[in-house]
Amino acid sequence: MTAPVVLGIETSCDETACGVVRGREVLANVVASQEELHRDFGGVVPEIASRAHLERLPGIFRMAMEGAGIARADAVAVTTGPGLIGALLVGVSFAEGIVRGWDVPLIAVHHLYAHLWGVAVVRGVKPPFCGVVVSGGHTAFYVWEEAALRPAFLGGTVDDAAGEAFDKVASLLGLGYPGGPVIERTALEGSDTVDLPLAGADMPGLSVSFSGLKTAVLYHLKGMGREPDEKEKADIACSFQQRAACTIAHKTAKMLDETGLSDVVVGGGVAANRALREAVGAACEERGTEAHFPPPGLSQDNGAMTALYGGLLLEHGEYERREFAVPEPFPRGKERQRAL
Ligand code: KG4
Ligand code: ZN
């Protein structure tokens, strides 16, 4: 029996994406980034994101189907949260239309679980494993137990996400948006010479905090009393990146020690960062464990990971057939703190 073909649709933030998989094999993965639409605002503008998804999704869908060489899939997986509500609704409504036309199941997918499962599948890692999600909206540590269909949350950020910190520090340095890639490029020209604190590494358990590190960059810049030159910017970018990477590596080490597991899967946009890979990789090597990172195209938001995780739920019959998949609201403020 051939494995089912699953179409994955992802519109949770500023990437319009469709992927097609057959079992564990990725047949197509088409991503349209909206970076250029949000750049002038220094961050994602939800209303612009929703409208762009609406305009682009039909074309991205067609490209993915043509790329995979199929006219129909056996199921449609769609991200239902967490993410921007309006943006999610575009993907969910589109998926709802397709499953009605094709008469196939609709599978609601949790975006963060997809970030981890997608990397685990393409890297050939089987549960149990530890998981680290480092994205623009989240920084979270998980354990994915053997035979489990979703991971258990162990801890995460109490304020900014890792990617959010990169974006905000890039904005403080006037480097533009999105911050992660530009900080990484700028850091190549600098050295780790600026005295910045290790971001919340002393917080209890697997909690982390990036706001202190971000504020330290702000005060460092204020203390200079003038615009930093290019070399100074590069030194700040490099020092910030090192501290952020060390914090994640430190907590990853703690998680490995506590769980006794030997594999860690890292997912999310910041997983593309080389300093983070080196720091986490070194912490794993010291313990005789292994870190697994996404290949190109699978760290940023994409539809292949949505389809891969949808495939796992499909295989186990763990989806709500024909139910409208209501996006999960992302908790904010006090509500968010209680949730953590
Ligand atoms: O996973 P993702 O595409 O979207 C969310 O689910 O949030 O992650 C986007 C985040 C952005 O904050 C971006 O600045 C960051 O990932 N990012 C990076 C790098 N590439 C993207 N951060 C550090 N280094 C990178 N090379
Ligand atoms: Zn993401």
Side-chain angles (χ1 to χ4, degrees):
M1 201 181 78
T2 56
V5 174
V6 181
L7 164 70
I9 298 174
E10 154 60 41
T11 62
S12 67
C13 192
D14 62 342
E15 265 95 25
T16 313
C18 287
V20 179
V21 303
R22 179 183 286 118
R24 297 177 159 257
E25 188 193 352
V26 177
L27 303 179
N29 195 20
V30 184
V31 181
S33 168
Q34 300 177 8
E35 266 168 43
E36 80 286 359
L37 299 180
H38 302 284
R39 184 165 287 133
D40 288 349
F41 302 94
V44 178
V45 182
E47 180 63 13
I48 293 177
S50 309
R51 283 171 190 271
H53 287 313
L54 206 55
E55 282 162 17
R56 297 174 177 191
L57 189 50
I60 297 297
F61 161 71
R62 273 194 294 276
M63 281 169 74
M65 297 296 284
E66 276 165 24
I70 56 162
R72 188 179 180 279
D74 300 306
V76 178
V78 61
T79 308
T80 57
L84 302 169
I85 296 293
L88 289 165
L89 273 171
V90 175
V92 171
S93 309
F94 192 80
E96 182 72 14
I98 293 174
V99 298
R100 279 173 200 270
W102 289 351
D103 194 26
V104 297
L106 176 66
I107 306 165
V109 164
H110 191 292
H111 182 66
L112 305 185
Y113 304 171
H115 264 304
L116 291 179
W117 190 254
V119 179
V121 169
V122 300
R123 294 298 188 204
V125 185
K126 295 208 162 62
F129 58 79
C130 287
V132 182
V133 176
V134 272
S135 72
H138 299 86
T139 299
F141 299 94
Y142 294 95
V143 62
W144 202 308
E145 301 284 5
E146 196 174 344
L149 297 183
R150 46 192 66 80
F153 177 74
L154 300 179
T157 183
V158 295
D159 41 58
D160 291 353
E164 194 178 353
F166 273 85
D167 294 338
K168 287 178 177 169
V169 167
S171 157
L172 289 175
L173 293 173
L175 295 174
Y177 174 85
V182 71
I183 290 252
E184 179 160 21
R185 273 198 308 279
T186 307
L188 290 174
E189 308 300 319
S191 44
D192 182 0
T193 49
V194 181
D195 186 20
L196 296 174
L198 205 51
D202 55 348
M203 291 197 71
L206 292 170
S207 294
V208 285
S209 159
F210 286 100
S211 67
L213 174 58
K214 182 190 67 189
T215 310
V217 173
L218 176 69
Y219 282 122
H220 178 78
L221 288 168
K222 280 196 168 166
M224 289 176 73
R226 57 173 172 79
E227 277 291 300
D229 63 26
E230 296 308 306
K231 175 72 170 79
E232 286 165 336
K233 280 188 189 178
D235 289 345
I236 296 169
C238 178
S239 307
F240 160 77
Q241 178 174 262
Q242 277 316 118
R243 247 35 113 244
C246 278
T247 298
I248 300 293
H250 174 80
K251 292 289 175 172
T252 303
K254 196 166 181 182
M255 173 167 58
L256 286 166
D257 292 344
E258 280 171 13
T259 59
L261 294 173
S262 51
D263 289 285
V264 57
V265 169
V266 188
V270 188
N273 186 276
R274 191 169 301 163
L276 178 104
R277 288 181 180 221
E278 279 169 10
V280 171
C284 287
E285 216 175 296
E286 264 171 35
R287 287 164 174 77
T289 61
E290 208 180 333
H292 307 271
F293 297 100
L298 234 75
S299 58
Q300 65 173 157
D301 291 344
N302 65 88
M305 68 181 194
T306 315
L308 288 168
Y309 182 55
L312 175 74
L313 299 179
L314 181 72
E315 190 184 325
H316 291 83
E318 273 272 337
Y319 58 90
E320 289 174 63
R321 208 180 170 85
R322 280 312 175 93
E323 286 292 316
F324 184 83
V326 182
E328 278 179 32
F330 179 59
R332 299 203 169 270
K334 286 201 176 109
E335 202 188 338
R336 181 177 181 196
Q337 285 186 353
R338 272 201 302 277
L340 291 169

